[in-house]
Each structure stands twice: as structure tokens, then as C-alpha cells.
Amino acid sequence: IILSFGTNESFGKISDTEYIYQLKEFTNNIKVLNPNAVILVMTPPPSMFRRRRPNTFIVDYTTALMTLNDMPVWDLFTRMGGAAGIGPRGEYAGMIARDKVHYTVSGYQAQGSLFVSDFMSAYNYFKKQKH
């Protein structure tokens, strides 16, 4: 199961501690219903407040997620270049919507492509290690 959220949640301005608490409650509920599920969590992608200030809650959530030892985490925030990645000269600047929170179709496709590429690289590395 792949979970990806945090951008919209950050506009509630909850702390990283509360974010992790809610995430763990959610994943624990999934495990109750499906104890054999493997849950991978993506960090939120970069976004902005009021189209001009970097969303620092996303940075805090990413940092907190990357310290988890009990579930795999894929760092989408860093993979997209952080806040600079959506800035005026960033690689993904043209792929974030005008609200600077959501992404265009091509932006979501780019996120999917990054994930698949990294996931397959990790899988291929794993396969090589087994032989």
C-alpha cells in the first residue's frame, strides 16, 4: 500500500509530531484489517503558502518521515529538488499549478515517473544482492 499525503494536511498547520501520530494511527488501522500489508509512505511534494512562501510544514513532515524506522519512506520532496524545484528556475516550476499547492497533469505524471524509476532501481538492486 502506497500512501501519499501531507500537502493539503499542511494547510491545517499541524505539527510534525501530530502529523506522524495521525499517520501511525492510520497505518495501524490498515494493519488491523490487513496485517500482512506492507505500507510505503511518500513524503509530500514541495508546495508554497500564498504562492510565494515555501511551505515549511512540508519540510518538517519530510524530516520527521525520514527518521521513521518502522516503515519504508520515499522522499518525493527532496527528489523534486525541495522548494527550489518549484521555484522560478526549478526543474518542476512549470509543473505546479497556479495555486503553488497542487500540480498539473504533467506534474503528477512526473511524480509517478520519479517514483517508478526509483522503485525499480531499488528492486533491481535488491535482486542483484540476492544472487
Side-chain angles (χ1 to χ4, degrees):
I1 299 172
I2 301 170
L3 301 178
S4 176
F5 36 44
T7 305
N8 289 334
E9 290 77 11
S10 71
F11 284 83
K13 298 184 178 177
I14 64 172
S15 70
D16 56 338
T17 304
E18 182 63 19
Y19 176 81
I20 295 297
Y21 173 78
Q22 290 183 19
L23 174 70
K24 287 189 177 239
E25 286 290 306
F26 185 70
T27 57
N28 287 341
N29 287 334
I30 292 171
K31 290 286 196 171
V32 167
L33 297 173
N34 191 347
N36 296 320
V38 175
I39 301 171
L40 181 142
V41 179
M42 291 184 182
T43 67
S47 67
M48 307 284 276
F49 281 129
R50 297 191 178 158
R51 297 188 296 187
R52 59 183 176 265
R53 287 187 306 115
N55 183 336
T56 56
F57 286 89
I58 297 296
V59 176
D60 294 343
Y61 300 164
T62 296
T63 301
L65 284 168
M66 295 309 292
T67 66
L68 295 178
N69 293 319
D70 56 348
M71 70 181 75
V73 176
W74 181 65
D75 188 357
L76 175 60
F77 178 81
T78 302
R79 191 67 166 84
M80 292 187 73
I86 60 169
R89 293 187 175 95
E91 182 177 357
Y92 300 97
M95 296 181 191
I96 191 163
R98 291 178 61 168
D99 66 4
K100 302 297 184 197
V101 175
H102 299 94
Y103 285 78
T104 64
V105 170
S106 63
Y108 287 116
Q109 288 171 338
Q111 290 175 20
S113 293
L114 290 170
F115 175 73
V116 169
S117 174
D118 288 355
F119 188 88
M120 291 309 299
S121 291
Y123 176 74
N124 289 330
Y125 177 79
F126 169 76
K127 292 296 280 183
K128 285 180 185 173
Q129 298 305 309
K130 289 200 87 166
H131 289 84

